[in-house]
Amino acid sequence: MTKIHNLGFPRIGAKRELKFALEFYWKGESSRDDLKALGQQLRQRHWQLQTELDLVPVGDFAFYDQVLDMSFTLGNLPERVQDFHGDALDNYFRVARGRSAQSTSDTQCCGGVAAGEMTKWFDTNYHYIVPEFTAATEFKLDASRLLEQLAEAEAQGVTAKPVIIGPVTYLWLGKAKDDSNKLALLPKLLPVYAELLETLAAQGVEWVQIDEPILVTELDAGWQNAFNTAYQYLQDGRVKLLLATYFGQLAENRSLAANLPVAGLHVDAVNGRNDVLLLLGMLPEQMILSLGVINGRNIWKTDLNTVLNWVEPIAQQLGERLWLAPSCSLLHVPVDLDSEQKLDAEIKSWLAFAKQKLGELQVLATALNRGRDAVKAELDANRAAIEARRHSSRVNNPAVKAALAKIDAKLGQRQSPYAQRALKQAALLKLPKFPTTTIGSFPQTSEIRLARSQFKSGKLDAAGYKAAMQAEIARCVSEQETLGLDVFVHGEAERNDMVEYFGEQLDGYAFSQSGWVQSYGSRCVKPPILFGDISRPRPMTVEWISYAQSLTDKPMKGMLTGPVTILNWSFVRDDQPRSVTCKQLALAIREEVLDLEKAGVKVIQIDEAALREGLPLRKSQWQAYLDWAVESFRITANGVADETQIHTHMCYSEFNDIIAAIADMDADAITIETSRSDMELLDAFEHFNYPNGIGPGVYDIHSPNIPSEQHIVALMHKAAERVPTEQLWVNPDCGLKTRQWAEVIPALTNMVAAAKTLRASLG
């Protein structure tokens, strides 16, 4: 009998219950007990949705991040919070976001510290808190989180499969703060893992899922050897280990994975199907093979009949040694399609969210175990939906395909090199040295959210909504005038999300009502569904930017999201190459850029926050991606005159190894996140002569902490050691929509003061 299981479930809740509970707690509007109770309710609800599985993941729930959870389980806390003796959850939030709840009764729990560095989880839009190491790092087991959740699961009658991050991946994910060798910590780490596994065995656990996704990356000999060392050490434990890989193919690590002394191996059969047949000849006789046959990162229905055609011979060969699962944790998809009312019936019939994906697994298992006739109706309905999508006229637009065929190299070229453009822009804009700006958004206040909600529900007409948004734009302009910023933004009051806002105005997109996915902590996004060929029926931002510019003599940035980011932050169609879809987006956004320029906008920012996260996990495949990604940006940006200044923004990623590609984008100025890494991201500029303007983010907008003028000046001095001062801008590291005005005003006041100090000291 083929078993089915799941690698992880979305934890934020179908209605974002965890998001709101966290934010209430952080504001001091609810208690710690209230938050913990909500977490327990969500776990119980999600386990109930998984009752048809043979094994249910436990420990995949986190109040902020699963990597941070693992750091606390291993007792690996940054030194700056080790002297905290209050509630462990408060210390957890101090690492995650710089502080815990807003409480007047406990100043220690609220004392601000530097938040942990945050970066992308492999090539997804999920962010994790980076573990911190030094040569002196020690580990000490704290299994309380897992044990509490196991007890809850047992009480609910759940057949639990605890989920933990494996020791080699955990070290790989972290950062050595003293430049020591992370792998040297493995001998100290493994005894704690062994103790954890023995603790779980003592609770009656049979299987433990131990995630080692770095096996789908290109590993040098040291990391490959670390796997043999780690799992030989752990092989004598009483629990059975299911070693889980995902997000790609094993390729040259195939033999390594197949020969590790574990009881089972999970592989991503969506992205790494070529691995499977080769693995069949490598696996030890008793090893379980778990195939991830349901895409855990996208929302399209699985072609169940095609999967069965492929899997049935494998099932005959392996028998009970074959398990089926999603390709990865379902953390990356929304919870339940059944609650959707916004999507039209046709598009909805093409989709599957987390709950529906588990239903697909059940159909596959029933077909394998009892024969296809047992689920004939389900398989016939699935086939009809797949065919309907394939042939829909809503998916295919001949005019878009014709425009794509006309793309040539000239479309991506600026009129003049940067050095010549910079002189013309300087003469036109007349900016001071160390010019100040922000990334685009200002706080999304309760008034903004109320007006948007009333407009969508019909309680506020179009004229009233426009007036409300213009009032918010006017407030943003006024605040920037008072602050003394040099290049203004309109604040993006009218935008619900930097991708969804544009998708709503492009043909080829659809939108869910509750398709929320966790990005980090309480931050959720609702990726639009890119189902067809993309075109722009009308201007999308010109009216708002023109109004904002009419209120000030300062340069007003036009704010756009770039094609690569729109692509990477959408649920993207899987029936054509991503490169083709990206170039369709590039042509559409290019039209908007040209319309902004015609309207007199002299500075246009095209955000590519997600450029790096689209990189394939294997470096050997990077160049092909970067070629079409950079080309798409250049198509978008390079139809303008020399005098028009093009900016772009990127956040929370390591850029050092793609700095040449970033330079090839040829933006006149780039703003990047550097505050959480203490300007470490600028190390690339010690060996690379970046030619254009650059704004290293000088304060962390994801933390409520307010940076001092002295802190900002110190960071910019570090930047000036690597980048010529005439190229430097001063700005936050990301947009300000998630912050409150009470935090933004003092932070920007200090930032502007810092810029003035820099002009005096370095000018």
Side-chain angles (χ1 to χ4, degrees), residues 260-272:
L260 291 174
V262 293
L265 175 66
H266 172 85
V267 297
D268 181 341
V270 173
N271 295 298

Side-chain angles (χ1 to χ4, degrees), residues 433-434 713-714 716-717 720 725 753-763:
K433 200 167 185 179
F434 297 104
V713 169
M716 288 302 297
H717 274 279
T725 56
K756 293 177 180 178
T757 299
L758 291 165
R759 290 165 195 155
S761 62
L762 296 176

Side-chain angles (χ1 to χ4, degrees), residues 648-678:
T648 190
H649 170 68
M650 300 176 188
C651 58
Y652 294 109
S653 290
E654 300 286 349
F655 300 109
N656 297 15
D657 44 10
I658 61 167
I659 191 63
I662 293 173
D664 286 343
M665 294 168 68
D666 198 27
D668 297 304
I670 178 175
T671 50
I672 60 175
E673 181 277 325
T674 52
S675 61
R676 281 204 177 194
S677 65
D678 197 31

Side-chain angles (χ1 to χ4, degrees), residues 200-211:
L200 296 175
Q203 300 301 309
V205 169
E206 180 182 9
W207 282 94
V208 171
Q209 175 185 317
I210 189 161
D211 289 359

Side-chain angles (χ1 to χ4, degrees), residues 17 91 155 295 318 359 369 445 491 493 521 633 692-693:
E17 295 93 327
N91 212 22
N295 194 331
L318 295 181
N369 294 330
T445 63
F633 177 85
N692 302 7

Side-chain angles (χ1 to χ4, degrees), residues 136-205:
T137 294
E138 299 289 339
F139 303 98
K140 182 180 180 181
L141 180 63
D142 178 359
S144 56
R145 172 186 63 90
L146 270 171
L147 294 178
E148 289 171 7
Q149 294 186 27
L150 271 175
E152 293 173 17
E154 182 179 357
Q156 195 171 327
V158 169
T159 305
K161 168 172 58 77
V163 177
I164 61 176
I165 295 171
V168 187
T169 290
Y170 179 75
L171 289 176
W172 188 88
L173 292 170
K175 178 175 286 187
K177 306 300 284 186
D178 58 356
D179 294 324
S180 57
N181 178 12
K182 295 185 292 185
L183 275 178
L185 296 173
L186 189 61
K188 292 197 285 187
L189 181 61
L190 291 177
V192 181
Y193 268 87
E195 184 182 358
L196 172 59
L197 295 176
E198 179 58 30
T199 300
L200 296 175
Q203 300 301 309
V205 169

